[in-house]
Amino acid sequence: MKSFVFLEGSLTVTLDEKSFIATAGDIIFVHSGILHSGIPDNCLYQCIVFDGNVFLKNNSVCAGYMQKIIHQEILIYHHLHQSI
């Protein structure tokens, strides 16, 4: 899974053929296997790539929930706008 945090400017993001604009303060989650691309406009962002399985090892409380996220049975809302 990847997480993008937008610091400046904007990025036209396409996830599986659906496009939207991310701006400063927004966060985007991209699940593994999702085709994604972006067109920047003076954009500065941070990207974190992580293995969701890491969360399964030490925390049995959220293991079932994380397992569903990893297998895409539950999708995290992909675009969190700064106003949320």
Side-chain angles (χ1 to χ4, degrees):
M1 181 178 287
K2 295 178 185 177
S3 172
F4 296 88
V5 178
F6 293 87
L7 306 173
E8 296 177 11
S10 65
L11 183 74
T12 301
V13 179
T14 302
L15 300 175
D16 279 346
E17 300 181 12
K18 294 179 184 174
S19 297
F20 57 91
I21 296 175
T23 59
D26 290 1
I27 300 171
I28 294 176
F29 293 98
V30 180
H31 289 267
S32 299
I34 301 293
L35 184 62
H36 58 285
S37 66
I39 301 171
D41 183 13
N42 294 317
C43 183
L44 177 64
Y45 64 88
Q46 295 175 329
C47 177
I48 301 170
V49 179
F50 58 95
D51 180 0
N53 290 311
V54 170
F55 296 105
L56 301 176
K57 294 179 182 176
N58 298 321
N59 189 344
S60 62
V61 174
C62 68
Y65 186 72
M66 285 304 299
Q67 191 77 313
K68 289 179 180 181
I69 291 172
I70 292 166
H71 294 292
Q72 297 183 14
E73 295 171 27
I74 295 175
L75 295 177
I76 297 173
Y77 186 68
H78 63 270
H79 182 205
L80 301 177
H81 191 271
Q82 64 182 338
S83 65
I84 295 178

